[in-house]
Amino acid sequence: MNYQVLLYYHYTTIEDPAVFSAEHLAFCKEIGLKGRILVANEGINGTVSGTIEQTEAYMEKMKSDPLFEGIVFKIDAVESHAFKKMHVRPRPELVNLGLEEDVNPHELTGRYLSPEQFMKELQDENTVVLDVRNTYEYDVGHFRGAIRPEVQNFRDTPQWVRENRELFEGKNVLTYCTGGIRCEKFSGWMKREGFGDVGQLHGGVATYSKDPATKGQLWDGQMYVFDERLTVPINQVEHVVVGRDHFDGTPCERYINCANPECNKQVLASEENEAKHLGGCTIECTKHERNRYIVRNGLSEQQVEEAIALLEA
Ligand SMILES: [Zn+2]
């Protein structure tokens, strides 16, 4: 384990995100990092990988910059880079809630809960816990009993909450996300909407999983991450599989990208079902003329025809 993955964000004011991004990219490349960093007027959000020396150099530089005073890095030990390239991109905002009026977490946000406090409140009868990630993230792992908003995109979650107010009214509402960045805004937005008691898991599930008091307990499944690992374990005490195979609904924690390059959807699938469907998430995707599974496995035309005939039988 000579490499590390860093996950971090910091709400601050970056005057010129485009200029900052260009300079930051040059620095990251110079030290040999790989990963994805978003820069906006409201701050920075990144996940990068590198050797221990490279990642330490990066953290040192960030921590010494007054702009990022108080920045917290979540660190995972890994065996190699978790990204292929280095991107730093300016964006209008770090988190898109699809709101008419944005939320500034420095002005309005939910109560910050330590992992231990979060775990305690999670078990309270009057608590409801809301997952503020995408549904495909929820599906491979989540807190036990957490509400899964029925939305295609995270930015549609506020509207969904408005339509389902009764689930949250009069309750102690807890929110959580991967690293904490989405909750900062989302919990603030919920308070603005009039939900009284809203708490957020400070540092996200990434912090909760390593906390010596919680050991990731009450988390079922794995956690989806935005790098080549795809998922990481969270609960150090017990492992309950909640993921279900896209094709047959059996327990599964193996992500694949749909072989149709124009679809590229991430679904859970066993090796066997991936082979049976030639990597396509639907029959249309299986039949796509640039199906990557067929190319990767060097399948003959006859093999492809036979597989499709079986699927259509
Ligand atoms: Zn597809």
Side-chain angles (χ1 to χ4, degrees):
M1 296 283 198
N2 291 321
Y3 284 75
Q4 298 187 130
V5 171
L6 309 180
L7 176 67
Y8 62 94
Y9 70 87
H10 197 66
Y11 281 105
T12 182
T13 303
I14 296 176
E15 296 295 346
D16 192 332
V19 169
F20 181 93
S21 295
E23 289 171 3
H24 203 66
L25 177 63
F27 169 68
C28 291
K29 282 187 167 172
E30 189 191 309
I31 60 174
L33 285 186
K34 290 181 181 182
R36 243 189 330 257
I37 300 172
L38 301 181
V39 177
N41 268 136
E42 63 183 0
I44 191 166
N45 178 22
T47 171
V48 296
S49 65
T51 63
I52 291 172
E53 296 81 49
Q54 289 164 345
T55 48
E56 294 294 336
Y58 182 76
M59 290 188 283
E60 201 175 305
K61 154 115 173 165
M62 293 297 279
K63 284 175 179 171
S64 67
D65 187 335
L67 210 50
F68 304 112
E69 198 190 335
I71 191 168
V72 177
F73 290 92
K74 292 109 189 168
I75 305 169
D76 274 350
V78 289
E79 279 167 2
S80 59
H81 269 297
F83 297 90
K84 290 202 166 55
K85 290 179 182 168
M86 186 68 238
H87 296 287
V88 182
R89 295 196 168 106
R91 283 276 187 276
E93 64 233 313
L94 293 181
V95 172
N96 183 0
L97 280 182
L99 301 175
E100 318 76 55
E101 201 192 329
D102 207 8
V103 176
N104 178 350
H106 283 306
E107 291 165 6
L108 185 64
T109 196
R111 284 185 298 131
Y112 290 111
L113 300 178
S114 68
E116 201 173 356
Q117 188 64 19
F118 185 90
M119 185 172 163
K120 190 168 157 245
E121 292 192 21
L122 196 57
Q123 296 170 82
D124 187 281
E125 266 183 22
N126 196 41
T127 291
V128 288
V129 57
L130 177 66
D131 190 309
V132 297
R133 302 174 301 155
N134 297 291
T135 46
Y136 66 85
E137 297 175 67
Y138 181 102
D139 290 342
V140 77
H142 49 256
F143 277 109
R144 204 166 292 166
I147 294 173
R148 176 187 188 270
E150 297 298 323
V151 293
Q152 286 296 316
N153 257 303
F154 168 64
R155 64 172 177 274
D156 300 320
T157 309
Q159 190 51 36
W160 186 88
V161 169
R162 280 176 179 154
E163 287 161 10
N164 294 275
R165 281 195 80 92
E166 70 283 358
L167 293 174
F168 308 98
E169 244 142 12
K171 302 279 187 180
N172 175 33
V173 181
L174 303 185
T175 69
Y176 69 88
C177 59
T178 312
I181 185 170
R182 282 176 266 189
C183 286
E184 296 249 12
K185 271 194 188 183
F186 199 87
S187 62
W189 173 81
M190 284 197 82
K191 288 185 74 163
R192 197 168 78 194
E193 288 289 300
F195 298 101
D197 207 3
V198 185
Q200 59 182 311
L201 176 54
H202 199 200
V205 185
T207 302
Y208 185 92
S209 70
K210 295 192 175 68
D211 188 88
T214 62
K215 296 190 172 70
Q217 289 177 91
L218 300 179
W219 179 272
D220 288 334
Q222 306 268 344
M223 180 169 73
Y224 183 90
V225 289
F226 295 86
D227 61 59
E228 288 177 351
R229 294 172 297 167
L230 292 176
T231 60
V232 295
I234 297 298
N235 192 328
Q236 301 172 38
V237 177
E238 58 171 338
H239 181 204
V240 179
V241 179
V242 293
R244 291 290 176 263
D245 189 293
H246 172 73
F247 299 105
D248 64 15
T250 55
C252 179
E253 293 187 320
R254 178 177 180 269
Y255 268 109
I256 62 164
N257 281 95
C258 174
N260 169 1
E262 287 171 30
C263 171
N264 205 36
K265 194 171 152 188
Q266 279 186 339
V267 296
L268 295 167
S270 65
E271 233 168 291
E272 194 189 348
N273 280 332
E274 182 185 18
K276 194 169 144 192
H277 293 262
L278 306 181
C281 77
T282 61
I283 187 72
E284 289 74 29
C285 287
T286 298
K287 287 177 171 174
H288 193 273
E289 58 178 7
R290 286 189 288 125
N291 180 317
R292 293 178 295 203
Y293 184 90
I294 296 171
V295 177
R296 195 165 62 234
N297 291 280
L299 302 182
S300 68
E301 239 168 83
Q302 194 193 340
Q303 284 172 309
V304 172
E305 273 170 28
E306 282 171 9
I308 290 174
L310 273 177
L311 291 176
E312 291 182 325

